[in-house]
Every structure is written in structure tokens, then in C-alpha cells.
Amino acid sequence: MKLVSVDKLEPGMVVSENIYTVDDRLVLTKGTILDNDDIARIRSFSLYNIFVEEQKKAVKVKEEKPQSSLSYAEKLRTTEEFIKFKEHIEEHAEALEESFRMLANDSIPLDVDKLTDPVYHLFVEAGGTAGIFDMLHNLRDNSDAVFMHSLNVSLISNTIATWMRLSSDQIQLATAGGLLHDIGKMLIPSELVNKTEKLTEYEEKAMREHVVKGYELIKDKDIDPHIKNCVLMHHELRDGSGYPFHIKGSQIDEIASIVTVANIYDELTSKRTYRAPICPFAVIEQFEDEGLSKFAPDVIMTFLSNIVNTFIANRVMLNNGKVGDIVFINPEHLSKPMVKCGEEFIDLAANRNLAIVAVI
Ligand SMILES: [Fe+2]
């Protein structure tokens, strides 16, 4: 089976899993051969992706469990689309390392279009805004190198800018700013950047210099000033608690504000050598609590209300050990959805001692 964005459904495709609405009503049964009416019906339920049969079996998948008991994430990781995306993002991260190294040595000109080109390919390959987080959330165990992080932040910044309905020029700036934001890390000793333990206070201070060093590297290049600001301001926070200049509110570049959210989300939900990935719902809860004081309101509101929807139908583990699938997002408490565990519906908003500890 393969995962297809509902935008890409075509008549003749065969549904490989029963399709349910978020409140668990059956939309179509497994084995249905889609016609135009079925496709319109699926789209009317605001579903993101569905599983359909492969036309030809391109990838042999070793199944340890019957397909029906696999979680959404487990099924996704066996699809040809995911396997290819993973392979390509790793290849692009390697190529980006080489480009960043040459930029830091000033041995190649800074060509933003050429640098960001692979990001757009990855974006299309993932199925656009509807599919990109499905891919990224399943790559959380990957390398924590600067280059994979840069690609992730670029893809997430592009998605947030698209969700905000910004112009295509602004979306391109967010994509480029996200890709280049940490270029200054090329000018920080690699022992520090690649250190496997948590940094000491002194080392943390040295690491923070990547912002100004990155800006120095690109400030005289012929690129849009917003991209330069993304490099300089991506650690600034709206309440002045960021760095390097502790600037506040609207002093922070609007495109850099997008990269800030993308950067923190990717940083926290990725594996680090000194800690496991933090559960996205814990990060969403943290953003809900302090989001409006620390981040641009339009950016954080758009990000939160859209990101939670990408988790519908995902299987999660609760802090009481129970496992269930997310069936409904509560717009008042985005980090506390309704979870269906077996036959039981658990409303996390009404059970405040319960929380999601992992997406599995
Ligand atoms: Fe940074």
C-alpha cells in the first residue's frame, strides 16, 4: 500500500484500509475502487492522506505484524514514498554540508535559488503541506547534524508561510532563511557543534556566536535582507528573552519570526545525542502556554492550529501506558485531543492528569 495525499487521489485507485472520519464514522470501506463521487466525499471530510493499493509492488516490506495492527506511523514508514523521501533528504543533507563548507571558505558564490532547489523537490515528494510533517515526524531518530536540521527548518518554514497564505515571494524567503539560518555554525569549532554531551555554560556562550558569525559571513552578499535577518534574528524572542540583541516584538523581522518557530519545533522534536526526541504534544503544550509572549502571534497561532491536524489518526501512548489513536482535535486545547483506546474514548482536555508521551 502507499500513502496518497487526498489532493492526489484519482479514479481507479483502490482503498487499502477502511477510511473513517475524525469522529469515527465510516467513509469508505477497504477495497473500494474510487470514482469521482468517492473522491469528493473523502475531500469533504478534511482528511489529509489515505492509504491506497500499490499498482505495482516496488518495495518489498518485511512485516513483523499483520498490517491491520500497525499504527499509522508504522504503516507510513513502510511506504515507497517515505523510503524514497528518507533516502533523498539524507543525500541532500550531504550535498548541503559540502555547499555550506565552500560558502564558509568563500570558495563559491551564494546562489540562493540553487541552494533551495532540493528543498522544493523534497516538498513535492512529501506531498506538499499535507504530507511534509508525516515525513518529518518519522525521521526523528535521524542524524542531528546541522545540515539535516537546516533542511527540516527550511521545509517547516515553507509550510508555515504557506499555511499563513503569504505571497510566493515571502514563502521563498522563509524557505531560504530556514535553510541558511544556522550557516554560522560552520564557523564554530566542530568539536563544539558535534559535542555529544550537553554544553557547559561557557560552551553555550561560544555556540551562541554562530548567529553573529553567520551574519558576518553573508551580510555583504547580494541576497534579500530578510534572509540576512533570518540568520541574525532566529534566536530572538518577542518578549526580549532571546539573543543576541534581546530585541522585542515587531523589531524582529517577520520572516525570521517564522524561522524561529520552525527552528525550535525541529530542535525539540529531534533526537539529540544527550536526549531522546521530545514528544511533539509536549512541545505543542509548551507553545500553547508561552507562545503568545515569545513568538509572533500570527505565526504561532497558524502553526499550532495546523500542526495538530497532521496528527489525526496517529497512534499515541499516554502517561498511563494506554495506547490509542487520535480521533478529534479540541480547538480550545490543541495539545489535549480525544484519543480512542480500544472501545474507550478518552478526552484529554477533561482528564488533565493524562497526557500524550509519544507518537508511535
Ligand atoms: Fe541557531
Side-chain angles (χ1 to χ4, degrees):
M1 75 175 81
K2 64 177 180 176
L3 189 71
V4 175
S5 155
V6 295
D7 304 336
K8 304 260 169 66
L9 291 176
E10 286 171 15
M13 287 178 164
V14 181
V15 174
S16 59
E17 291 277 302
N18 286 350
I19 303 172
Y20 294 94
T21 63
V22 291
D23 55 355
D24 218 27
R25 282 176 291 144
L26 187 65
V27 179
L28 286 174
T29 51
K30 176 181 174 180
T32 303
I33 301 168
L34 293 178
D35 61 21
N36 285 325
D37 288 346
D38 296 327
I39 294 171
R41 192 151 174 248
I42 293 168
R43 287 181 182 152
S44 72
F45 287 108
S46 307
L47 300 167
Y48 274 99
N49 297 312
I50 67 161
F51 287 101
V52 299
E53 294 296 342
E54 294 273 2
Q55 299 289 325
K56 49 183 184 339
K57 270 252 174 286
V59 178
K60 272 243 171 260
V61 177
K62 185 173 164 261
E63 288 176 20
E64 285 158 3
K65 295 193 233 175
Q67 279 285 336
S68 57
S69 68
L70 294 175
S71 74
Y72 179 86
E74 286 170 325
K75 276 184 254 179
L76 184 114
R77 287 194 287 264
T78 65
T79 61
E80 189 182 354
E81 287 76 9
F82 177 77
I83 293 165
K84 271 195 180 156
F85 182 88
K86 184 172 186 292
E87 204 177 289
H88 291 164
I89 196 167
E90 285 166 356
E91 281 168 16
H92 290 314
E94 262 184 59
L96 190 65
E97 176 172 5
E98 186 59 24
S99 303
F100 274 15
R101 219 171 281 293
M102 289 195 281
L103 281 170
N105 297 338
D106 224 359
S107 54
I108 52 165
L110 176 49
D111 182 339
V112 170
D113 290 342
K114 202 170 159 192
L115 267 185
T116 51
D117 194 47
V119 179
Y120 294 104
H121 283 287
L122 287 169
F123 198 72
V124 170
E125 222 175 3
T129 51
I132 194 69
F133 280 100
D134 271 349
M135 298 296 173
L136 297 184
H137 286 142
N138 284 288
L139 285 167
R140 299 290 77 178
D141 280 345
N142 248 44
S143 149
D144 57 358
V146 173
F147 318 100
M148 185 67 98
H149 170 67
S150 300
L151 286 170
N152 291 348
V153 173
S154 181
L155 288 161
I156 298 172
S157 299
N158 177 305
T159 305
I160 298 175
T162 306
W163 281 337
M164 291 173 74
R165 299 174 192 272
L166 298 186
S167 68
S168 61
D169 283 354
Q170 288 170 305
I171 295 171
Q172 282 177 26
L173 290 173
T175 310
L179 192 68
L180 285 162
H181 76 285
D182 263 350
I183 190 152
K185 286 193 179 165
M186 302 308 293
L187 303 167
I188 302 288
S190 58
E191 313 85 80
L192 206 55
V193 177
N194 300 322
K195 193 180 168 193
T196 51
E197 298 88 42
K198 202 165 171 37
L199 299 182
T200 64
E201 204 175 315
Y202 175 78
E203 288 168 335
E204 181 64 37
K205 213 173 152 200
M207 183 66 113
R208 286 181 172 206
E209 288 179 17
H210 77 277
V211 168
V212 173
K213 289 191 172 185
Y215 181 71
E216 289 290 326
L217 182 69
I218 57 152
K219 74 176 194 319
D220 298 324
K221 308 275 185 199
D222 182 22
I223 58 171
D224 192 286
H226 287 291
I227 301 175
K228 295 177 187 175
N229 285 341
C230 289
V231 175
L232 186 63
M233 299 181 183
H234 70 271
H235 287 289
E236 298 286 6
L237 297 168
R238 200 177 155 75
D239 60 3
S241 64
Y243 65 89
F245 302 121
H246 311 288
I247 53 175
K248 290 183 178 180
S250 59
Q251 291 175 301
I252 304 170
D253 183 284
E254 66 207 72
I255 302 293
S257 301
I258 295 173
V259 174
T260 302
V261 171
N263 177 41
I264 297 183
Y265 182 79
D266 187 66
E267 170 77 25
L268 294 176
T269 58
S270 291
K271 181 178 165 185
R272 286 289 172 263
T273 41
Y274 54 87
R275 64 153 170 81
I278 298 175
C279 172
F281 280 88
V283 178
I284 292 166
E285 188 173 9
Q286 191 182 326
F287 277 177
E288 276 191 293
D289 289 346
E290 56 181 38
L292 290 178
S293 63
K294 294 208 182 294
F295 309 109
D298 52 343
V299 177
I300 197 70
M301 299 297 281
T302 305
F303 176 71
L304 288 178
S305 56
N306 283 280
I307 186 87
V308 286
N309 284 322
T310 68
F311 287 103
I312 288 177
N314 271 256
R315 191 160 297 167
V316 292
M317 184 181 282
L318 306 181
N319 55 351
N320 63 0
K322 286 192 175 177
V323 168
D325 293 339
I326 294 179
V327 289
F328 178 72
I329 299 293
N330 182 337
E332 301 295 319
H333 302 282
L334 296 172
S335 60
K336 304 279 183 194
M338 177 86 80
V339 178
K340 187 177 181 227
C341 300
E343 292 306 304
E344 183 189 7
F345 285 86
I346 301 178
D347 180 1
L348 297 181
N351 292 274
R352 300 313 286 257
N353 52 335
L354 293 181
I356 295 171
V357 289
V359 180
I360 55 177

